PDB file of all heavy atoms in Angstrom:
ATOM      1  N   MET A   1      -6.537  80.778  10.675  1.00  0.00           N
ATOM      2  CA  MET A   1      -5.600  79.687  10.956  1.00  0.00           C
ATOM      3  C   MET A   1      -5.965  79.008  12.272  1.00  0.00           C
ATOM      4  O   MET A   1      -5.347  79.222  13.308  1.00  0.00           O
ATOM      5  CB  MET A   1      -4.161  80.229  11.013  1.00  0.00           C
ATOM      6  CG  MET A   1      -3.690  80.854   9.716  1.00  0.00           C
ATOM      7  SD  MET A   1      -3.678  79.652   8.361  1.00  0.00           S
ATOM      8  CE  MET A   1      -3.041  80.659   7.021  1.00  0.00           C
ATOM      9  N   ASP A   2      -6.997  78.213  12.217  1.00  0.00           N
ATOM     10  CA  ASP A   2      -7.503  77.528  13.404  1.00  0.00           C
ATOM     11  C   ASP A   2      -7.961  76.138  12.983  1.00  0.00           C
ATOM     12  O   ASP A   2      -9.052  75.963  12.444  1.00  0.00           O
ATOM     13  CB  ASP A   2      -8.671  78.328  14.001  1.00  0.00           C
ATOM     14  CG  ASP A   2      -9.227  77.703  15.268  1.00  0.00           C
ATOM     15  OD1 ASP A   2      -8.886  76.543  15.562  1.00  0.00           O
ATOM     16  OD2 ASP A   2     -10.024  78.364  15.958  1.00  0.00           O
ATOM     17  N   THR A   3      -7.095  75.131  13.199  1.00  0.00           N
ATOM     18  CA  THR A   3      -7.422  73.783  12.747  1.00  0.00           C
ATOM     19  C   THR A   3      -8.453  73.092  13.633  1.00  0.00           C
ATOM     20  O   THR A   3      -8.810  71.948  13.371  1.00  0.00           O
ATOM     21  CB  THR A   3      -6.158  72.900  12.688  1.00  0.00           C
ATOM     22  OG1 THR A   3      -5.622  72.746  14.007  1.00  0.00           O
ATOM     23  CG2 THR A   3      -5.113  73.507  11.772  1.00  0.00           C
ATOM     24  N   THR A   4      -8.924  73.795  14.654  1.00  0.00           N
ATOM     25  CA  THR A   4      -9.972  73.204  15.492  1.00  0.00           C
ATOM     26  C   THR A   4     -11.355  73.496  14.906  1.00  0.00           C
ATOM     27  O   THR A   4     -12.357  73.052  15.445  1.00  0.00           O
ATOM     28  CB  THR A   4      -9.903  73.763  16.930  1.00  0.00           C
ATOM     29  OG1 THR A   4     -10.203  75.161  16.902  1.00  0.00           O
ATOM     30  CG2 THR A   4      -8.528  73.535  17.530  1.00  0.00           C
ATOM     31  N   THR A   5     -11.403  74.263  13.814  1.00  0.00           N
ATOM     32  CA  THR A   5     -12.671  74.565  13.134  1.00  0.00           C
ATOM     33  C   THR A   5     -12.616  74.015  11.711  1.00  0.00           C
ATOM     34  O   THR A   5     -11.537  73.853  11.128  1.00  0.00           O
ATOM     35  CB  THR A   5     -12.929  76.080  13.069  1.00  0.00           C
ATOM     36  OG1 THR A   5     -11.951  76.693  12.206  1.00  0.00           O
ATOM     37  CG2 THR A   5     -12.852  76.708  14.450  1.00  0.00           C
ATOM     38  N   SER A   6     -13.777  73.751  11.136  1.00  0.00           N
ATOM     39  CA  SER A   6     -13.832  73.230   9.769  1.00  0.00           C
ATOM     40  C   SER A   6     -13.296  74.240   8.764  1.00  0.00           C
ATOM     41  O   SER A   6     -12.590  73.879   7.814  1.00  0.00           O
ATOM     42  CB  SER A   6     -15.273  72.840   9.410  1.00  0.00           C
ATOM     43  OG  SER A   6     -16.135  73.954   9.564  1.00  0.00           O
ATOM     44  N   SER A   7     -13.587  75.527   8.971  1.00  0.00           N
ATOM     45  CA  SER A   7     -13.103  76.559   8.052  1.00  0.00           C
ATOM     46  C   SER A   7     -11.584  76.698   8.137  1.00  0.00           C
ATOM     47  O   SER A   7     -10.909  76.929   7.129  1.00  0.00           O
ATOM     48  CB  SER A   7     -13.776  77.904   8.352  1.00  0.00           C
ATOM     49  OG  SER A   7     -13.485  78.325   9.679  1.00  0.00           O
ATOM     50  N   GLY A   8     -11.044  76.545   9.342  1.00  0.00           N
ATOM     51  CA  GLY A   8      -9.597  76.621   9.525  1.00  0.00           C
ATOM     52  C   GLY A   8      -8.884  75.455   8.855  1.00  0.00           C
ATOM     53  O   GLY A   8      -7.841  75.631   8.230  1.00  0.00           O
ATOM     54  N   ARG A   9      -9.461  74.258   8.992  1.00  0.00           N
ATOM     55  CA  ARG A   9      -8.879  73.084   8.337  1.00  0.00           C
ATOM     56  C   ARG A   9      -8.926  73.237   6.824  1.00  0.00           C
ATOM     57  O   ARG A   9      -7.981  72.867   6.118  1.00  0.00           O
ATOM     58  CB  ARG A   9      -9.616  71.813   8.770  1.00  0.00           C
ATOM     59  CG  ARG A   9      -9.314  71.387  10.211  1.00  0.00           C
ATOM     60  CD  ARG A   9      -9.864  70.018  10.517  1.00  0.00           C
ATOM     61  NE  ARG A   9     -11.315  70.002  10.530  1.00  0.00           N
ATOM     62  CZ  ARG A   9     -12.052  70.264  11.606  1.00  0.00           C
ATOM     63  NH1 ARG A   9     -11.460  70.577  12.747  1.00  0.00           N
ATOM     64  NH2 ARG A   9     -13.368  70.218  11.547  1.00  0.00           N
ATOM     65  N   PHE A  10     -10.004  73.832   6.332  1.00  0.00           N
ATOM     66  CA  PHE A  10     -10.140  74.074   4.897  1.00  0.00           C
ATOM     67  C   PHE A  10      -9.077  75.049   4.409  1.00  0.00           C
ATOM     68  O   PHE A  10      -8.502  74.882   3.332  1.00  0.00           O
ATOM     69  CB  PHE A  10     -11.540  74.613   4.592  1.00  0.00           C
ATOM     70  CG  PHE A  10     -11.777  74.919   3.137  1.00  0.00           C
ATOM     71  CD1 PHE A  10     -11.778  73.911   2.194  1.00  0.00           C
ATOM     72  CD2 PHE A  10     -11.997  76.220   2.715  1.00  0.00           C
ATOM     73  CE1 PHE A  10     -11.990  74.188   0.848  1.00  0.00           C
ATOM     74  CE2 PHE A  10     -12.214  76.514   1.377  1.00  0.00           C
ATOM     75  CZ  PHE A  10     -12.214  75.492   0.434  1.00  0.00           C
ATOM     76  N   MET A  11      -8.798  76.072   5.213  1.00  0.00           N
ATOM     77  CA  MET A  11      -7.786  77.062   4.857  1.00  0.00           C
ATOM     78  C   MET A  11      -6.414  76.411   4.716  1.00  0.00           C
ATOM     79  O   MET A  11      -5.665  76.709   3.790  1.00  0.00           O
ATOM     80  CB  MET A  11      -7.728  78.166   5.916  1.00  0.00           C
ATOM     81  CG  MET A  11      -6.699  79.257   5.625  1.00  0.00           C
ATOM     82  SD  MET A  11      -6.992  80.126   4.074  1.00  0.00           S
ATOM     83  CE  MET A  11      -8.551  80.962   4.471  1.00  0.00           C
ATOM     84  N   PHE A  12      -6.094  75.489   5.627  1.00  0.00           N
ATOM     85  CA  PHE A  12      -4.800  74.812   5.548  1.00  0.00           C
ATOM     86  C   PHE A  12      -4.747  73.871   4.343  1.00  0.00           C
ATOM     87  O   PHE A  12      -3.688  73.668   3.758  1.00  0.00           O
ATOM     88  CB  PHE A  12      -4.521  74.039   6.836  1.00  0.00           C
ATOM     89  CG  PHE A  12      -3.816  74.870   7.873  1.00  0.00           C
ATOM     90  CD1 PHE A  12      -4.505  75.376   8.958  1.00  0.00           C
ATOM     91  CD2 PHE A  12      -2.470  75.165   7.743  1.00  0.00           C
ATOM     92  CE1 PHE A  12      -3.863  76.154   9.906  1.00  0.00           C
ATOM     93  CE2 PHE A  12      -1.813  75.944   8.701  1.00  0.00           C
ATOM     94  CZ  PHE A  12      -2.511  76.441   9.773  1.00  0.00           C
ATOM     95  N   GLN A  13      -5.885  73.308   3.958  1.00  0.00           N
ATOM     96  CA  GLN A  13      -5.921  72.461   2.764  1.00  0.00           C
ATOM     97  C   GLN A  13      -5.624  73.287   1.516  1.00  0.00           C
ATOM     98  O   GLN A  13      -4.906  72.836   0.616  1.00  0.00           O
ATOM     99  CB  GLN A  13      -7.294  71.793   2.642  1.00  0.00           C
ATOM    100  CG  GLN A  13      -7.523  70.700   3.668  1.00  0.00           C
ATOM    101  CD  GLN A  13      -8.938  70.155   3.625  1.00  0.00           C
ATOM    102  OE1 GLN A  13      -9.784  70.636   2.864  1.00  0.00           O
ATOM    103  NE2 GLN A  13      -9.211  69.153   4.428  1.00  0.00           N
ATOM    104  N   ILE A  14      -6.161  74.509   1.481  1.00  0.00           N
ATOM    105  CA  ILE A  14      -5.891  75.413   0.363  1.00  0.00           C
ATOM    106  C   ILE A  14      -4.411  75.771   0.330  1.00  0.00           C
ATOM    107  O   ILE A  14      -3.769  75.754  -0.723  1.00  0.00           O
ATOM    108  CB  ILE A  14      -6.740  76.700   0.470  1.00  0.00           C
ATOM    109  CG1 ILE A  14      -8.225  76.369   0.288  1.00  0.00           C
ATOM    110  CG2 ILE A  14      -6.294  77.739  -0.557  1.00  0.00           C
ATOM    111  CD1 ILE A  14      -9.145  77.552   0.500  1.00  0.00           C
ATOM    112  N   LEU A  15      -3.855  76.074   1.503  1.00  0.00           N
ATOM    113  CA  LEU A  15      -2.444  76.427   1.614  1.00  0.00           C
ATOM    114  C   LEU A  15      -1.558  75.279   1.143  1.00  0.00           C
ATOM    115  O   LEU A  15      -0.574  75.489   0.428  1.00  0.00           O
ATOM    116  CB  LEU A  15      -2.112  76.777   3.066  1.00  0.00           C
ATOM    117  CG  LEU A  15      -0.731  77.377   3.353  1.00  0.00           C
ATOM    118  CD1 LEU A  15      -0.561  78.706   2.635  1.00  0.00           C
ATOM    119  CD2 LEU A  15      -0.548  77.576   4.853  1.00  0.00           C
ATOM    120  N   ALA A  16      -1.931  74.057   1.517  1.00  0.00           N
ATOM    121  CA  ALA A  16      -1.167  72.882   1.115  1.00  0.00           C
ATOM    122  C   ALA A  16      -1.240  72.683  -0.401  1.00  0.00           C
ATOM    123  O   ALA A  16      -0.244  72.332  -1.041  1.00  0.00           O
ATOM    124  CB  ALA A  16      -1.693  71.643   1.834  1.00  0.00           C
ATOM    125  N   SER A  17      -2.410  72.927  -0.968  1.00  0.00           N
ATOM    126  CA  SER A  17      -2.594  72.773  -2.416  1.00  0.00           C
ATOM    127  C   SER A  17      -1.762  73.787  -3.185  1.00  0.00           C
ATOM    128  O   SER A  17      -1.140  73.462  -4.194  1.00  0.00           O
ATOM    129  CB  SER A  17      -4.075  72.932  -2.785  1.00  0.00           C
ATOM    130  OG  SER A  17      -4.855  71.918  -2.200  1.00  0.00           O
ATOM    131  N   VAL A  18      -1.758  75.032  -2.696  1.00  0.00           N
ATOM    132  CA  VAL A  18      -0.967  76.085  -3.343  1.00  0.00           C
ATOM    133  C   VAL A  18       0.519  75.743  -3.264  1.00  0.00           C
ATOM    134  O   VAL A  18       1.265  75.914  -4.237  1.00  0.00           O
ATOM    135  CB  VAL A  18      -1.236  77.456  -2.680  1.00  0.00           C
ATOM    136  CG1 VAL A  18      -0.245  78.501  -3.202  1.00  0.00           C
ATOM    137  CG2 VAL A  18      -2.662  77.914  -2.951  1.00  0.00           C
ATOM    138  N   SER A  19       0.958  75.242  -2.113  1.00  0.00           N
ATOM    139  CA  SER A  19       2.355  74.877  -1.928  1.00  0.00           C
ATOM    140  C   SER A  19       2.751  73.739  -2.866  1.00  0.00           C
ATOM    141  O   SER A  19       3.831  73.763  -3.468  1.00  0.00           O
ATOM    142  CB  SER A  19       2.601  74.471  -0.473  1.00  0.00           C
ATOM    143  OG  SER A  19       3.947  74.114  -0.276  1.00  0.00           O
ATOM    144  N   GLU A  20       1.878  72.750  -3.008  1.00  0.00           N
ATOM    145  CA  GLU A  20       2.147  71.623  -3.906  1.00  0.00           C
ATOM    146  C   GLU A  20       2.211  72.098  -5.356  1.00  0.00           C
ATOM    147  O   GLU A  20       3.067  71.674  -6.133  1.00  0.00           O
ATOM    148  CB  GLU A  20       1.067  70.554  -3.754  1.00  0.00           C
ATOM    149  CG  GLU A  20       1.310  69.325  -4.631  1.00  0.00           C
ATOM    150  CD  GLU A  20       0.228  68.278  -4.467  1.00  0.00           C
ATOM    151  OE1 GLU A  20      -0.768  68.551  -3.768  1.00  0.00           O
ATOM    152  OE2 GLU A  20       0.382  67.192  -5.057  1.00  0.00           O
ATOM    153  N   PHE A  21       1.299  73.010  -5.721  1.00  0.00           N
ATOM    154  CA  PHE A  21       1.279  73.582  -7.063  1.00  0.00           C
ATOM    155  C   PHE A  21       2.597  74.298  -7.360  1.00  0.00           C
ATOM    156  O   PHE A  21       3.174  74.151  -8.438  1.00  0.00           O
ATOM    157  CB  PHE A  21       0.104  74.551  -7.184  1.00  0.00           C
ATOM    158  CG  PHE A  21       0.018  75.253  -8.505  1.00  0.00           C
ATOM    159  CD1 PHE A  21      -0.282  74.557  -9.671  1.00  0.00           C
ATOM    160  CD2 PHE A  21       0.223  76.621  -8.594  1.00  0.00           C
ATOM    161  CE1 PHE A  21      -0.359  75.201 -10.897  1.00  0.00           C
ATOM    162  CE2 PHE A  21       0.150  77.274  -9.812  1.00  0.00           C
ATOM    163  CZ  PHE A  21      -0.145  76.566 -10.970  1.00  0.00           C
ATOM    164  N   GLU A  22       3.085  75.056  -6.370  1.00  0.00           N
ATOM    165  CA  GLU A  22       4.338  75.784  -6.527  1.00  0.00           C
ATOM    166  C   GLU A  22       5.506  74.818  -6.708  1.00  0.00           C
ATOM    167  O   GLU A  22       6.383  75.035  -7.546  1.00  0.00           O
ATOM    168  CB  GLU A  22       4.575  76.680  -5.309  1.00  0.00           C
ATOM    169  CG  GLU A  22       5.814  77.541  -5.419  1.00  0.00           C
ATOM    170  CD  GLU A  22       6.020  78.429  -4.199  1.00  0.00           C
ATOM    171  OE1 GLU A  22       5.607  78.012  -3.096  1.00  0.00           O
ATOM    172  OE2 GLU A  22       6.578  79.511  -4.346  1.00  0.00           O
ATOM    173  N   ARG A  23       5.524  73.736  -5.931  1.00  0.00           N
ATOM    174  CA  ARG A  23       6.595  72.742  -6.045  1.00  0.00           C
ATOM    175  C   ARG A  23       6.588  72.092  -7.420  1.00  0.00           C
ATOM    176  O   ARG A  23       7.643  71.846  -8.017  1.00  0.00           O
ATOM    177  CB  ARG A  23       6.449  71.662  -4.961  1.00  0.00           C
ATOM    178  CG  ARG A  23       6.826  72.116  -3.559  1.00  0.00           C
ATOM    179  CD  ARG A  23       7.020  70.935  -2.629  1.00  0.00           C
ATOM    180  NE  ARG A  23       5.843  70.107  -2.531  1.00  0.00           N
ATOM    181  CZ  ARG A  23       4.855  70.309  -1.659  1.00  0.00           C
ATOM    182  NH1 ARG A  23       4.924  71.318  -0.813  1.00  0.00           N
ATOM    183  NH2 ARG A  23       3.805  69.503  -1.623  1.00  0.00           N
ATOM    184  N   ASN A  24       5.375  71.814  -7.945  1.00  0.00           N
ATOM    185  CA  ASN A  24       5.265  71.195  -9.265  1.00  0.00           C
ATOM    186  C   ASN A  24       5.787  72.117 -10.363  1.00  0.00           C
ATOM    187  O   ASN A  24       6.438  71.663 -11.312  1.00  0.00           O
ATOM    188  CB  ASN A  24       3.806  70.821  -9.558  1.00  0.00           C
ATOM    189  CG  ASN A  24       3.336  69.651  -8.721  1.00  0.00           C
ATOM    190  OD1 ASN A  24       4.144  68.862  -8.240  1.00  0.00           O
ATOM    191  ND2 ASN A  24       2.039  69.527  -8.523  1.00  0.00           N
TER     192      ASN A  24
END
């Protein structure tokens, strides 16, 4: 969980996608 790195930003994108999937 480090948005100052590319891997960290990618992790948050995955988290956001999972959250959106759950809402749907």
Side-chain angles (χ1 to χ4, degrees):
M1 299 298 182
D2 182 347
T3 64
T4 65
T5 67
S6 57
S7 60
R9 288 190 292 272
F10 179 65
M11 180 60 66
F12 271 104
Q13 288 174 357
I14 293 175
L15 189 62
S17 296
V18 171
S19 180
E20 182 180 6
F21 177 68
E22 184 180 30
R23 286 195 302 272
N24 289 338

